[in-house]
Amino acid sequence: MRVANVTRETRETCISGQLCLDGVGLVQVDSGIGFFDHMLDSWARFGCFDLELLAKGDLRVDAHHTVEDCGIVLGQLLKEALGDKAGIERVGDALFPMDEVLAQVAVDISGRGFLGWRVDGIGSPVADFPFELAEEFFRALAMNAGITLHVRLLSGGNSHHVLEAIYKGVGRALRLAVGVSGVYEGVPSTKGCLS
């Protein structure tokens, strides 16, 4: 079982998490931000990851620090759980529909953190979650996990549907990328390493 535990404590947040890549989608999350918890739950379930995450942040200021730091922790969990990355598929993608929304996601566990984010024209907050924080979350996740992640919104307008399709799509694409192929003996790279 590929499992990782990470705790991050700053003057703004205190976050502890556990991630199992070979799970069944068992999720226990509490960030203090209801809609964000729903998105993390969606991400983990569609990734078939077991996730425990407890975050306490300076929500009296706003949600930014908590959401970004959760992205940092989840990126660190993903990187640690992957270990030497031997035998993984490395890449995964998803075309994820949700009602009027169609989101496209592609991920490469390359060892190089990058976020390509093309989600334009949407901006309404959803409950207690400012829309723009999704980009901050995924950038923090990608940079700390060392993955290349591209997210595009192909159609749609409802902010809730857009975000849910993206989080589920990223989970689905990651599930494919972290899967053990049984084909590769070492890491799937012409360089012989993923960094």
Side-chain angles (χ1 to χ4, degrees), residues 23-44:
V24 294
L26 298 176
V27 182
Q28 289 184 312
V29 296
D30 184 0
S31 68
I33 308 164
F35 183 78
F36 185 48
D37 290 350
H38 175 44
M39 293 299 97
L40 294 177
D41 183 89
S42 297
W43 175 81

Side-chain angles (χ1 to χ4, degrees), residues 11 19 31 35 53 59 70 87 93 104 106 124 156 166-167 176:
R11 292 189 319 188
L19 178 68
S31 68
F35 183 78
L53 187 77
L59 297 180
C70 282
D93 60 60
Q104 183 180 39
S124 301
I166 289 170
Y167 276 86
L176 297 173

Side-chain angles (χ1 to χ4, degrees), residues 21 28 30 43 49 56 67 90 106 114 116 135 155 158 185:
L21 297 180
Q28 289 184 312
D30 184 0
W43 175 81
F49 306 138
K56 296 191 181 303
V67 171
R90 179 177 164 174
F114 177 81
E135 182 178 1
S155 66
N158 179 292
E185 289 184 21

Side-chain angles (χ1 to χ4, degrees), residues 6-16 56 69 73 76:
V6 169
T7 298
R8 172 184 169 85
E9 189 166 353
T10 71
R11 292 189 319 188
E12 298 168 339
T13 64
C14 180
I15 302 169
S16 59
K56 296 191 181 303
D69 286 9
V73 168
Q76 292 171 344

Side-chain angles (χ1 to χ4, degrees), residues 104-163:
Q104 183 180 39
V105 175
V107 64
D108 178 10
I109 301 174
S110 60
R112 298 178 302 278
F114 177 81
L115 175 66
W117 182 265
R118 289 197 183 170
V119 182
D120 300 320
I122 307 295
S124 301
V126 183
D128 52 357
F129 188 83
F131 190 94
E132 67 271 11
L133 290 188
E135 182 178 1
E136 297 299 325
F137 168 80
F138 284 115
R139 180 174 290 108
L141 186 149
M143 297 304 289
N144 285 273
I147 64 173
T148 298
L149 174 61
H150 287 269
V151 178
R152 290 185 178 185
L153 177 63
L154 301 181
S155 66
N158 179 292
S159 294
H160 186 133
H161 294 169
V162 168
L163 289 173

Side-chain angles (χ1 to χ4, degrees), residues 3 13 26 44 49 53 65 77 88 91 94 111 115 120 135 174 186-187 191 193-194:
V3 180
T13 64
L26 298 176
F49 306 138
L53 187 77
H65 298 142
L77 285 166
I88 64 167
V91 296
L115 175 66
D120 300 320
E135 182 178 1
L174 274 170
V187 296
K191 295 187 297 187
C193 66
L194 291 172

